[in-house]
Amino acid sequence: MELLRIRRLTVRQLRSAPDVDVVMLVGRLTFVPGSRVSWLFDLDDSTGVVRGSRNCVTTRVVDDVEERIRQESNKMLDLDLQIGPPPWKDGQYHCVAGMVSADGTVEATHIRPLHDMNELTMHLLECIHQHCVLNKLNNK
């Protein structure tokens, strides 16, 4: 089993780093409307902008057959409805953790607002450290 490591990176480091699969980014989120099953957003951390998505469809296990049928019929009726606005505020700094897809977008699993701007400073310091570690591994 391969161990997945969360890499704290900037957007610029994300675009130039090979073989990165799980990342943590910090930046300003901007909601992009238009999807029916996920919230689309742009994350800007002053080094670049990356497109991301967060699935907003929740699923739960249903044991009752009648309840399953009711849910399926409700899904069919709700296909034309747009999802509501995301739970974050546009333009505020957030921490986003997720998987990097093949096309370079981030499929977010966790999005949370920063409680203190010191978190941004700490993230940037960890990005510098991550850069030094990756360069040292590449030079060996």
Side-chain angles (χ1 to χ4, degrees):
M1 183 171 118
E2 183 181 339
L3 179 66
L4 295 177
R5 299 192 64 192
I6 297 177
R7 305 273 187 199
R8 291 181 172 265
L9 300 173
T10 63
V11 173
R12 185 172 180 171
Q13 288 173 324
L14 174 66
R15 292 201 173 124
S16 64
D19 302 329
V20 175
D21 43 3
V22 182
V23 296
M24 186 172 291
L25 304 166
V26 174
R28 291 179 188 251
L29 287 188
T30 305
F31 175 61
V32 178
S35 176
R36 293 184 178 191
V37 295
S38 64
W39 290 304
L40 298 177
F41 59 87
D42 288 331
L43 184 134
D44 181 5
D45 71 349
S46 299
T47 65
V49 178
V50 68
R51 174 66 50 100
S53 66
R54 171 75 166 103
N55 188 2
C56 58
V57 177
T58 58
T59 57
R60 62 184 176 94
V61 177
V62 179
D63 292 330
D64 186 21
V65 175
E66 290 179 12
E67 180 65 23
R68 278 191 201 169
I69 293 170
R70 197 173 307 119
Q71 284 183 354
E72 290 300 320
S73 63
N74 287 342
K75 284 181 190 174
M76 291 170 58
L77 294 174
D78 292 340
L79 285 179
D80 293 332
L81 298 177
Q82 290 287 332
I83 60 171
W88 63 80
K89 295 181 181 176
D90 271 4
Q92 289 189 341
Y93 279 92
H94 286 72
C95 181
V96 176
M99 306 288 282
V100 179
S101 63
D103 61 350
T105 61
V106 177
E107 297 171 13
T109 55
H110 295 32
I111 299 175
R112 68 169 181 82
L114 295 187
H115 300 293
D116 185 4
M117 289 309 284
N118 288 329
E119 290 182 66
L120 176 62
T121 304
M122 186 66 186
H123 176 77
L124 293 174
L125 290 171
E126 289 173 342
C127 289
I128 293 168
H129 180 261
Q130 189 71 44
H131 175 74
C132 293
V133 168
L134 290 175
N135 278 347
K136 191 173 186 179
L137 289 176
N138 289 337
N139 290 336
K140 284 187 176 182

